[in-house]
Amino acid sequence: EAQVTQNPRYLITVTGKKLTVTCSQNMNHEYMSWYRQDPGLGLRQIYYSMNVEVTDKGDVPEGYKVSRKEKRNFPLILESPSPNQTSLYFCASSLGTAGYEQYFGPGTRLTVT
Amino acid sequence: GESVGLHLPTLSVQEGDNSIINCAYSNSASDYFIWYKQESGKGPQFIIDIRSNMDKRQGQRVTVLLNKTVKHLSLQIAATQPGDSAVYFCAENRGGTSYGKLTFGQGTILTVHP
C-alpha cells in the first residue's frame, strides 16, 4: 500500500531532551516536507526537500533539523525541544512540487513539558 | 497563512446545497495552488489543484476558481454531502527561488447538515 508513515504517533517529552520523528514513504517520491499544525494557524512548513541531500527551510525552521540521506526517509530532529514546539506534526511527500499530489502521513502529536 | 486567532471561519450548509469556500493568498509570484480537505484526526488530503496560467479547473463535484487580479481562490463543492464535512485549506506554492515552499491558509470548517 502506497503510504507515508510517521513514528511515533504520540510523544510526551521534557524540555531539552533531543528527539527524532521519523518519516518514510514507499512511493519513490522526490519531494518531502514537514509541517506543524497549531489551532487557528493552519499548517506551517518547517523544512522541505526536493531530493536526496537537498533540503531547504520553510516558514518556521527555527529549533528543527532535517536530513535526507535516502530518498524514502526524511527525519525531523528537535535537538533541544521547548514547550512552544508542542504541536501536531505532519510529514508529506510527492513526486515533485507544482502539479503533483502531496500525500500526508497520519501525524505525530508532540507534547513538550 | 497569517494567524487570525484560534477561531476558524465556518460554513454551514444543508445536504444537497452547493458550497463555496474562499481563500485569499499573499504572494503574486505564486504559481500553483492546491485545496486540501482534513477530516478530524487525519492528515490533509488533496482535493484539486490549479496552475497560475488557468482561472478555472473542474474535478468530480469540485471546481476551483483563481482570480490573480485580487489574489483570490475559491473552492466550489456541488451537491454537498455529510461526508464533505471537514476543514478545508488552500495552499500556494511560492514559485521562483522559493519553489517547493508551500504556504497554507488558516482553513475553513465546513459542516453539512443532513
Side-chain angles (χ1 to χ4, degrees):
Chain A
E1 180 191 355
Q3 61 182 346
V4 178
T5 56
Q6 295 178 227
N7 281 292
R9 294 288 314 278
Y10 302 91
L11 179 60
I12 301 173
T13 190
V14 296
T15 298
K17 186 176 181 182
K18 181 180 178 179
L19 66 92
T20 299
V21 184
T22 65
C23 173
S24 183
Q25 50 91 5
N26 61 0
M27 296 169 279
N28 202 34
H29 285 169
E30 292 191 345
Y31 179 89
M32 298 187 74
S33 184
W34 275 103
Y35 302 90
R36 61 177 289 173
Q37 185 172 30
D38 303 289
L41 296 179
L43 287 97
R44 293 180 293 169
Q45 193 175 40
I46 303 171
Y47 271 95
Y48 63 98
S49 170
M50 303 286 275
N51 213 327
V52 175
E53 301 292 1
V54 180
T55 61
D56 282 291
K57 295 178 181 178
D59 287 325
V60 289
E62 294 78 20
Y64 304 95
K65 286 175 59 177
V66 292
S67 69
R68 188 91 183 273
K69 294 184 171 56
E70 308 164 276
K71 201 171 191 178
R72 63 182 293 130
N73 296 322
F74 191 44
L76 179 70
I77 303 154
L78 284 71
E79 294 270 2
S80 183
S82 63
N84 65 11
Q85 293 178 298
T86 292
S87 188
L88 178 59
Y89 291 86
F90 288 101
C91 180
S93 75
S94 59
L95 273 172
T97 52
Y100 296 97
E101 181 175 345
Q102 195 163 171
Y103 295 83
F104 281 78
T108 294
R109 186 164 292 282
L110 172 65
T111 302
V112 183
T113 62
Chain B
E2 286 78 30
S3 167
V4 293
L6 296 177
H7 300 289
L8 299 182
T10 60
L11 176 64
S12 187
V13 301
Q14 290 296 126
E15 182 177 2
D17 287 352
N18 296 333
S19 302
I20 299 176
I21 300 170
N22 297 302
C23 176
Y25 64 93
S26 56
N27 192 336
S28 300
S30 293
D31 59 359
Y32 175 63
F33 305 87
I34 318 105
W35 280 99
Y36 291 93
K37 172 187 180 183
Q38 187 176 26
E39 296 174 275
S40 182
K42 296 184 179 180
Q45 181 182 7
F46 172 93
I47 303 173
I48 191 168
D49 58 2
I50 188 168
R51 289 186 181 273
S52 60
N53 61 354
M54 303 170 70
D55 52 23
K56 180 179 180 179
R57 190 167 188 218
Q58 288 183 291
Q60 188 176 12
R61 278 201 309 121
V62 294
T63 301
V64 55
L65 299 178
L66 175 62
N67 185 331
K68 293 182 287 294
T69 303
V70 295
K71 292 190 282 188
H72 183 267
L73 196 64
S74 69
L75 176 70
Q76 300 178 358
I77 305 174
T80 316
Q81 302 166 1
D84 294 327
S85 294
V87 180
Y88 289 80
F89 295 97
C90 65
E92 55 180 307
N93 184 40
R94 301 240 222 115
T97 55
S98 296
Y99 199 72
K101 208 166 184 178
L102 281 179
T103 299
F104 282 74
Q106 65 172 137
T108 296
I109 300 172
L110 174 65
T111 303
V112 182
H113 300 283

